[in-house]
Amino acid sequence: MCLGIPGRIVEITDAARLMAMADVSGVRREVNVACVAGAALDDLVGAWVLIHVGFAMAVIDEDEAAETLEALRGLGEAQEALEQIAEGAKALAEQ
């Protein structure tokens, strides 16, 4: 399964290599925008994209980005709860 993480393009870092800086929940990383690049790369600045393994795979709207980020936060909270349950069960089994 592939997971795309929403990020906002904040600047074009190397137009020749189709590279841009994306902000993903406050963390900035360089991504390749070849899959979403149009005639004018600068049009991507401010756009929300789905990022997978360093590539911007699709342009999405702000609402979709917000919903996806919220779902991912929920999954993280669910994962933490499952880990706590597993730790509790392990502690009980060791008694």
Side-chain angles (χ1 to χ4, degrees), residues 22-81:
D23 184 301
V24 180
S25 295
V27 177
R28 290 185 174 207
R29 71 175 289 192
E30 198 170 39
V31 298
N32 185 292
V33 293
C35 296
V36 296
L41 284 180
D42 288 333
D43 290 346
L44 285 174
V45 175
W48 284 94
V49 294
L50 284 178
I51 300 168
H52 177 68
V53 295
F55 287 85
M57 303 302 291
V59 176
I60 59 174
D61 64 39
E62 189 170 0
D63 291 336
E64 183 177 353
E67 290 174 12
T68 303
L69 287 169
E70 186 60 33
L72 290 171
R73 283 185 200 98
L75 288 172
E77 290 171 9
Q79 181 63 34
E80 287 177 23

Short mmCIF file of all heavy atoms in Angstrom, two decimals, residues 22-81:
data_model
loop_
_atom_site.label_atom_id
_atom_site.label_comp_id
_atom_site.label_asym_id
_atom_site.label_seq_id
_atom_site.Cartn_x
_atom_site.Cartn_y
_atom_site.Cartn_z
N ALA A 22 8.90 21.43 0.29
CA ALA A 22 7.54 21.21 0.77
C ALA A 22 7.53 21.27 2.28
O ALA A 22 8.48 20.82 2.94
CB ALA A 22 7.01 19.87 0.29
N ASP A 23 6.47 21.83 2.83
CA ASP A 23 6.27 21.88 4.27
C ASP A 23 5.24 20.81 4.61
O ASP A 23 4.10 20.86 4.16
CB ASP A 23 5.75 23.26 4.68
CG ASP A 23 5.61 23.39 6.18
OD1 ASP A 23 4.85 22.60 6.78
OD2 ASP A 23 6.23 24.28 6.76
N VAL A 24 5.66 19.83 5.40
CA VAL A 24 4.79 18.74 5.82
C VAL A 24 4.62 18.85 7.33
O VAL A 24 5.51 18.46 8.09
CB VAL A 24 5.37 17.36 5.42
CG1 VAL A 24 4.44 16.24 5.87
CG2 VAL A 24 5.63 17.30 3.94
N SER A 25 3.53 19.43 7.76
CA SER A 25 3.24 19.62 9.19
C SER A 25 4.40 20.27 9.93
O SER A 25 4.79 19.82 11.00
CB SER A 25 2.87 18.27 9.83
OG SER A 25 1.68 17.79 9.28
N GLY A 26 4.97 21.29 9.33
CA GLY A 26 6.05 22.02 9.99
C GLY A 26 7.45 21.52 9.69
O GLY A 26 8.43 22.14 10.07
N VAL A 27 7.55 20.39 9.02
CA VAL A 27 8.86 19.84 8.65
C VAL A 27 9.05 20.09 7.16
O VAL A 27 8.20 19.75 6.35
CB VAL A 27 8.93 18.32 8.95
CG1 VAL A 27 10.26 17.75 8.48
CG2 VAL A 27 8.69 18.06 10.41
N ARG A 28 10.18 20.70 6.83
CA ARG A 28 10.45 20.99 5.42
C ARG A 28 11.39 19.96 4.83
O ARG A 28 12.36 19.57 5.46
CB ARG A 28 11.05 22.39 5.28
CG ARG A 28 10.02 23.46 5.56
CD ARG A 28 10.57 24.82 5.31
NE ARG A 28 9.49 25.79 5.45
CZ ARG A 28 9.46 26.94 4.84
NH1 ARG A 28 10.46 27.30 4.07
NH2 ARG A 28 8.45 27.76 5.02
N ARG A 29 11.05 19.55 3.60
CA ARG A 29 11.92 18.62 2.88
C ARG A 29 11.80 18.88 1.40
O ARG A 29 10.76 19.33 0.92
CB ARG A 29 11.61 17.17 3.23
CG ARG A 29 10.30 16.65 2.69
CD ARG A 29 10.11 15.21 2.96
NE ARG A 29 11.03 14.44 2.14
CZ ARG A 29 10.97 13.15 1.97
NH1 ARG A 29 10.07 12.45 2.60
NH2 ARG A 29 11.81 12.52 1.20
N GLU A 30 12.86 18.59 0.69
CA GLU A 30 12.88 18.79 -0.74
C GLU A 30 12.20 17.61 -1.43
O GLU A 30 12.43 16.45 -1.06
CB GLU A 30 14.32 18.94 -1.24
CG GLU A 30 14.41 19.56 -2.60
CD GLU A 30 15.83 19.93 -2.98
OE1 GLU A 30 16.77 19.17 -2.65
OE2 GLU A 30 16.01 20.97 -3.60
N VAL A 31 11.36 17.91 -2.41
CA VAL A 31 10.65 16.88 -3.15
C VAL A 31 10.76 17.15 -4.65
O VAL A 31 10.96 18.28 -5.08
CB VAL A 31 9.16 16.79 -2.75
CG1 VAL A 31 9.00 16.42 -1.29
CG2 VAL A 31 8.42 18.09 -3.06
N ASN A 32 10.62 16.11 -5.42
CA ASN A 32 10.62 16.22 -6.87
C ASN A 32 9.18 16.47 -7.32
O ASN A 32 8.26 15.77 -6.90
CB ASN A 32 11.15 14.92 -7.48
CG ASN A 32 11.28 15.01 -8.97
OD1 ASN A 32 10.30 15.09 -9.69
ND2 ASN A 32 12.52 15.00 -9.45
N VAL A 33 8.99 17.48 -8.17
CA VAL A 33 7.64 17.85 -8.62
C VAL A 33 7.39 17.49 -10.09
O VAL A 33 6.44 17.99 -10.70
CB VAL A 33 7.35 19.35 -8.36
CG1 VAL A 33 7.30 19.63 -6.86
CG2 VAL A 33 8.37 20.25 -9.05
N ALA A 34 8.19 16.62 -10.65
CA ALA A 34 8.05 16.26 -12.07
C ALA A 34 6.65 15.73 -12.40
O ALA A 34 6.12 16.01 -13.48
CB ALA A 34 9.11 15.23 -12.45
N CYS A 35 6.04 15.00 -11.48
CA CYS A 35 4.72 14.40 -11.75
C CYS A 35 3.59 15.43 -11.74
O CYS A 35 2.51 15.14 -12.26
CB CYS A 35 4.42 13.31 -10.72
SG CYS A 35 5.53 11.91 -10.79
N VAL A 36 3.81 16.59 -11.14
CA VAL A 36 2.74 17.59 -11.03
C VAL A 36 3.10 18.92 -11.69
O VAL A 36 2.31 19.87 -11.67
CB VAL A 36 2.36 17.84 -9.56
CG1 VAL A 36 1.78 16.58 -8.94
CG2 VAL A 36 3.54 18.34 -8.74
N ALA A 37 4.28 18.99 -12.29
CA ALA A 37 4.76 20.25 -12.87
C ALA A 37 3.99 20.60 -14.12
O ALA A 37 3.75 19.75 -14.99
CB ALA A 37 6.25 20.14 -13.18
N GLY A 38 3.60 21.85 -14.20
CA GLY A 38 2.98 22.38 -15.41
C GLY A 38 3.98 23.24 -16.15
O GLY A 38 5.19 23.14 -15.93
N ALA A 39 3.49 24.11 -16.99
CA ALA A 39 4.36 24.98 -17.77
C ALA A 39 5.14 25.95 -16.88
O ALA A 39 6.30 26.22 -17.12
CB ALA A 39 3.52 25.76 -18.78
N ALA A 40 4.50 26.44 -15.82
CA ALA A 40 5.16 27.39 -14.92
C ALA A 40 5.29 26.77 -13.53
O ALA A 40 4.30 26.60 -12.82
CB ALA A 40 4.36 28.68 -14.85
N LEU A 41 6.51 26.41 -13.17
CA LEU A 41 6.74 25.79 -11.86
C LEU A 41 6.31 26.69 -10.72
O LEU A 41 5.84 26.21 -9.69
CB LEU A 41 8.22 25.44 -11.69
CG LEU A 41 8.72 24.21 -12.43
CD1 LEU A 41 10.20 24.01 -12.14
CD2 LEU A 41 7.94 22.99 -12.04
N ASP A 42 6.46 27.99 -10.88
CA ASP A 42 6.10 28.92 -9.82
C ASP A 42 4.62 28.83 -9.45
O ASP A 42 4.23 29.22 -8.35
CB ASP A 42 6.47 30.35 -10.19
CG ASP A 42 7.98 30.58 -10.17
OD1 ASP A 42 8.67 29.86 -9.41
OD2 ASP A 42 8.46 31.46 -10.90
N ASP A 43 3.79 28.31 -10.36
CA ASP A 43 2.37 28.13 -10.06
C ASP A 43 2.15 27.11 -8.95
O ASP A 43 1.09 27.08 -8.32
CB ASP A 43 1.59 27.69 -11.30
CG ASP A 43 1.48 28.81 -12.34
OD1 ASP A 43 1.77 29.98 -12.00
OD2 ASP A 43 1.11 28.50 -13.49
N LEU A 44 3.15 26.26 -8.70
CA LEU A 44 3.03 25.25 -7.64
C LEU A 44 3.24 25.82 -6.24
O LEU A 44 2.81 25.21 -5.26
CB LEU A 44 4.03 24.11 -7.87
CG LEU A 44 3.71 23.12 -8.98
CD1 LEU A 44 4.87 22.15 -9.17
CD2 LEU A 44 2.43 22.37 -8.68
N VAL A 45 3.91 26.95 -6.14
CA VAL A 45 4.17 27.55 -4.83
C VAL A 45 2.84 27.88 -4.17
O VAL A 45 1.99 28.55 -4.74
CB VAL A 45 5.07 28.80 -4.93
CG1 VAL A 45 5.23 29.46 -3.57
CG2 VAL A 45 6.43 28.41 -5.51
N GLY A 46 2.63 27.32 -2.97
CA GLY A 46 1.39 27.48 -2.24
C GLY A 46 0.41 26.33 -2.44
O GLY A 46 -0.58 26.22 -1.71
N ALA A 47 0.69 25.47 -3.42
CA ALA A 47 -0.21 24.35 -3.70
C ALA A 47 0.01 23.21 -2.71
O ALA A 47 1.12 22.99 -2.23
CB ALA A 47 0.02 23.84 -5.12
N TRP A 48 -1.08 22.50 -2.42
CA TRP A 48 -1.00 21.28 -1.61
C TRP A 48 -0.80 20.10 -2.54
O TRP A 48 -1.44 20.01 -3.60
CB TRP A 48 -2.29 21.09 -0.81
CG TRP A 48 -2.38 22.00 0.36
CD1 TRP A 48 -2.98 23.22 0.41
CD2 TRP A 48 -1.85 21.75 1.66
NE1 TRP A 48 -2.85 23.76 1.66
CE2 TRP A 48 -2.16 22.88 2.45
CE3 TRP A 48 -1.14 20.71 2.24
CZ2 TRP A 48 -1.80 22.99 3.79
CZ3 TRP A 48 -0.78 20.81 3.56
CH2 TRP A 48 -1.10 21.93 4.33
N VAL A 49 0.09 19.20 -2.15
CA VAL A 49 0.37 18.00 -2.94
C VAL A 49 0.43 16.78 -2.03
O VAL A 49 0.66 16.90 -0.82
CB VAL A 49 1.71 18.13 -3.71
CG1 VAL A 49 1.63 19.23 -4.77
CG2 VAL A 49 2.88 18.37 -2.78
N LEU A 50 0.20 15.62 -2.61
CA LEU A 50 0.42 14.36 -1.90
C LEU A 50 1.84 13.91 -2.19
O LEU A 50 2.23 13.79 -3.36
CB LEU A 50 -0.57 13.29 -2.34
CG LEU A 50 -1.97 13.42 -1.79
CD1 LEU A 50 -2.86 12.30 -2.36
CD2 LEU A 50 -1.98 13.38 -0.28
N ILE A 51 2.62 13.67 -1.15
CA ILE A 51 4.03 13.32 -1.29
C ILE A 51 4.23 11.86 -0.91
O ILE A 51 3.74 11.40 0.13
CB ILE A 51 4.90 14.23 -0.39
CG1 ILE A 51 4.71 15.69 -0.80
CG2 ILE A 51 6.37 13.81 -0.47
CD1 ILE A 51 5.29 16.68 0.18
N HIS A 52 4.93 11.14 -1.77
CA HIS A 52 5.27 9.74 -1.51
C HIS A 52 6.72 9.53 -1.93
O HIS A 52 7.08 9.84 -3.06
CB HIS A 52 4.33 8.82 -2.28
CG HIS A 52 4.66 7.37 -2.12
ND1 HIS A 52 4.50 6.71 -0.92
CD2 HIS A 52 5.13 6.46 -3.00
CE1 HIS A 52 4.87 5.44 -1.07
NE2 HIS A 52 5.26 5.28 -2.32
N VAL A 53 7.52 9.02 -1.04
CA VAL A 53 8.95 8.73 -1.24
C VAL A 53 9.70 9.84 -1.98
O VAL A 53 10.47 9.59 -2.89
CB VAL A 53 9.21 7.35 -1.89
CG1 VAL A 53 8.78 6.23 -1.00
CG2 VAL A 53 8.58 7.24 -3.27
N GLY A 54 9.44 11.08 -1.57
CA GLY A 54 10.18 12.20 -2.12
C GLY A 54 9.64 12.78 -3.41
O GLY A 54 10.27 13.65 -4.00
N PHE A 55 8.48 12.30 -3.85
CA PHE A 55 7.87 12.81 -5.07
C PHE A 55 6.49 13.37 -4.77
O PHE A 55 5.70 12.73 -4.06
CB PHE A 55 7.71 11.69 -6.12
CG PHE A 55 9.00 11.28 -6.74
CD1 PHE A 55 9.81 10.34 -6.12
CD2 PHE A 55 9.43 11.82 -7.94
CE1 PHE A 55 11.02 9.95 -6.68
CE2 PHE A 55 10.63 11.44 -8.51
CZ PHE A 55 11.43 10.50 -7.87
N ALA A 56 6.20 14.54 -5.32
CA ALA A 56 4.84 15.08 -5.26
C ALA A 56 4.06 14.34 -6.34
O ALA A 56 4.36 14.46 -7.53
CB ALA A 56 4.85 16.57 -5.53
N MET A 57 3.09 13.52 -5.92
CA MET A 57 2.38 12.64 -6.85
C MET A 57 1.10 13.25 -7.43
O MET A 57 0.67 12.86 -8.51
CB MET A 57 2.05 11.31 -6.16
CG MET A 57 3.27 10.60 -5.62
SD MET A 57 4.52 10.23 -6.87
CE MET A 57 3.68 9.00 -7.83
N ALA A 58 0.46 14.15 -6.68
CA ALA A 58 -0.80 14.74 -7.13
C ALA A 58 -1.02 16.06 -6.41
O ALA A 58 -0.64 16.21 -5.25
CB ALA A 58 -1.96 13.79 -6.84
N VAL A 59 -1.65 16.99 -7.10
CA VAL A 59 -2.07 18.25 -6.48
C VAL A 59 -3.45 18.01 -5.88
O VAL A 59 -4.31 17.39 -6.52
CB VAL A 59 -2.12 19.38 -7.53
CG1 VAL A 59 -2.65 20.66 -6.90
CG2 VAL A 59 -0.74 19.62 -8.13
N ILE A 60 -3.63 18.46 -4.64
CA ILE A 60 -4.92 18.31 -3.96
C ILE A 60 -5.36 19.67 -3.44
O ILE A 60 -4.56 20.59 -3.35
CB ILE A 60 -4.84 17.28 -2.81
CG1 ILE A 60 -3.80 17.70 -1.77
CG2 ILE A 60 -4.55 15.88 -3.35
CD1 ILE A 60 -3.77 16.82 -0.53
N ASP A 61 -6.66 19.76 -3.08
CA ASP A 61 -7.11 21.04 -2.53
C ASP A 61 -6.87 21.07 -1.03
O ASP A 61 -6.57 20.05 -0.39
CB ASP A 61 -8.56 21.33 -2.89
CG ASP A 61 -9.55 20.34 -2.30
OD1 ASP A 61 -9.38 19.90 -1.15
OD2 ASP A 61 -10.54 20.03 -3.00
N GLU A 62 -6.99 22.26 -0.46
CA GLU A 62 -6.68 22.47 0.96
C GLU A 62 -7.58 21.65 1.88
O GLU A 62 -7.14 21.13 2.90
CB GLU A 62 -6.78 23.95 1.30
CG GLU A 62 -6.26 24.28 2.67
CD GLU A 62 -6.13 25.77 2.91
OE1 GLU A 62 -6.43 26.56 2.00
OE2 GLU A 62 -5.71 26.14 4.02
N ASP A 63 -8.86 21.50 1.50
CA ASP A 63 -9.79 20.71 2.32
C ASP A 63 -9.37 19.24 2.37
O ASP A 63 -9.39 18.62 3.43
CB ASP A 63 -11.22 20.82 1.79
CG ASP A 63 -11.82 22.20 2.00
OD1 ASP A 63 -11.35 22.92 2.91
OD2 ASP A 63 -12.74 22.56 1.25
N GLU A 64 -9.00 18.69 1.21
CA GLU A 64 -8.55 17.30 1.18
C GLU A 64 -7.27 17.12 1.99
O GLU A 64 -7.10 16.12 2.70
CB GLU A 64 -8.33 16.84 -0.27
CG GLU A 64 -7.94 15.38 -0.38
CD GLU A 64 -7.78 14.89 -1.80
OE1 GLU A 64 -8.09 15.63 -2.75
OE2 GLU A 64 -7.32 13.75 -1.96
N ALA A 65 -6.37 18.10 1.90
CA ALA A 65 -5.14 18.04 2.68
C ALA A 65 -5.45 18.02 4.17
O ALA A 65 -4.90 17.21 4.92
CB ALA A 65 -4.24 19.22 2.34
N ALA A 66 -6.35 18.89 4.62
CA ALA A 66 -6.71 18.96 6.03
C ALA A 66 -7.35 17.66 6.50
O ALA A 66 -7.03 17.15 7.58
CB ALA A 66 -7.65 20.13 6.28
N GLU A 67 -8.26 17.10 5.70
CA GLU A 67 -8.92 15.84 6.06
C GLU A 67 -7.91 14.70 6.15
O GLU A 67 -7.97 13.87 7.06
CB GLU A 67 -10.01 15.50 5.05
CG GLU A 67 -11.21 16.41 5.11
CD GLU A 67 -12.21 16.16 4.00
OE1 GLU A 67 -12.09 15.12 3.31
OE2 GLU A 67 -13.11 17.00 3.82
N THR A 68 -6.99 14.65 5.21
CA THR A 68 -5.99 13.58 5.21
C THR A 68 -5.05 13.71 6.41
O THR A 68 -4.75 12.71 7.08
CB THR A 68 -5.18 13.61 3.90
OG1 THR A 68 -6.09 13.47 2.80
CG2 THR A 68 -4.16 12.48 3.86
N LEU A 69 -4.62 14.94 6.71
CA LEU A 69 -3.75 15.14 7.87
C LEU A 69 -4.45 14.76 9.16
O LEU A 69 -3.86 14.14 10.05
CB LEU A 69 -3.26 16.59 7.93
CG LEU A 69 -2.21 16.97 6.89
CD1 LEU A 69 -2.00 18.48 6.86
CD2 LEU A 69 -0.90 16.25 7.16
N GLU A 70 -5.74 15.08 9.27
CA GLU A 70 -6.50 14.72 10.47
C GLU A 70 -6.64 13.20 10.58
O GLU A 70 -6.49 12.65 11.67
CB GLU A 70 -7.89 15.38 10.43
CG GLU A 70 -8.68 15.18 11.69
CD GLU A 70 -8.01 15.74 12.94
OE1 GLU A 70 -7.31 16.76 12.85
OE2 GLU A 70 -8.17 15.12 14.02
N ALA A 71 -6.90 12.53 9.47
CA ALA A 71 -6.99 11.06 9.48
C ALA A 71 -5.66 10.44 9.89
O ALA A 71 -5.63 9.48 10.67
CB ALA A 71 -7.42 10.55 8.11
N LEU A 72 -4.56 10.99 9.39
CA LEU A 72 -3.24 10.47 9.75
C LEU A 72 -2.95 10.68 11.23
O LEU A 72 -2.37 9.82 11.88
CB LEU A 72 -2.16 11.11 8.89
CG LEU A 72 -2.16 10.70 7.43
CD1 LEU A 72 -1.20 11.55 6.62
CD2 LEU A 72 -1.83 9.22 7.28
N ARG A 73 -3.37 11.84 11.77
CA ARG A 73 -3.20 12.08 13.21
C ARG A 73 -4.00 11.05 14.00
O ARG A 73 -3.55 10.53 15.01
CB ARG A 73 -3.64 13.49 13.58
CG ARG A 73 -2.64 14.54 13.22
CD ARG A 73 -3.05 15.93 13.72
NE ARG A 73 -2.35 16.95 13.00
CZ ARG A 73 -2.82 17.63 11.95
NH1 ARG A 73 -4.06 17.42 11.54
NH2 ARG A 73 -2.08 18.51 11.34
N GLY A 74 -5.23 10.78 13.54
CA GLY A 74 -6.07 9.77 14.19
C GLY A 74 -5.44 8.39 14.16
O GLY A 74 -5.48 7.66 15.14
N LEU A 75 -4.83 8.04 13.04
CA LEU A 75 -4.15 6.75 12.95
C LEU A 75 -2.99 6.69 13.91
O LEU A 75 -2.73 5.65 14.53
CB LEU A 75 -3.66 6.50 11.52
CG LEU A 75 -4.71 6.19 10.49
CD1 LEU A 75 -4.10 6.15 9.10
CD2 LEU A 75 -5.43 4.88 10.80
N GLY A 76 -2.27 7.80 14.06
CA GLY A 76 -1.15 7.84 15.01
C GLY A 76 -1.64 7.65 16.43
O GLY A 76 -1.03 6.91 17.21
N GLU A 77 -2.76 8.28 16.78
CA GLU A 77 -3.32 8.12 18.12
C GLU A 77 -3.79 6.69 18.33
O GLU A 77 -3.61 6.12 19.41
CB GLU A 77 -4.47 9.11 18.33
CG GLU A 77 -4.00 10.55 18.42
CD GLU A 77 -5.15 11.55 18.41
OE1 GLU A 77 -6.32 11.14 18.49
OE2 GLU A 77 -4.85 12.76 18.31
N ALA A 78 -4.40 6.10 17.30
CA ALA A 78 -4.85 4.71 17.40
C ALA A 78 -3.67 3.78 17.59
O ALA A 78 -3.72 2.84 18.39
CB ALA A 78 -5.65 4.32 16.16
N GLN A 79 -2.57 4.04 16.87
CA GLN A 79 -1.37 3.22 17.00
C GLN A 79 -0.81 3.31 18.41
O GLN A 79 -0.42 2.30 18.99
CB GLN A 79 -0.31 3.64 15.97
CG GLN A 79 0.95 2.82 16.01
CD GLN A 79 0.73 1.36 15.67
OE1 GLN A 79 -0.12 1.03 14.85
NE2 GLN A 79 1.47 0.49 16.30
N GLU A 80 -0.79 4.52 18.97
CA GLU A 80 -0.30 4.69 20.34
C GLU A 80 -1.16 3.91 21.32
O GLU A 80 -0.64 3.27 22.23
CB GLU A 80 -0.29 6.17 20.72
CG GLU A 80 0.80 6.97 20.05
CD GLU A 80 0.72 8.45 20.39
OE1 GLU A 80 0.14 8.80 21.43
OE2 GLU A 80 1.24 9.25 19.61
N ALA A 81 -2.47 3.95 21.14
CA ALA A 81 -3.38 3.22 22.03
C ALA A 81 -3.15 1.71 21.92
O ALA A 81 -3.12 1.00 22.94
CB ALA A 81 -4.83 3.55 21.70
#
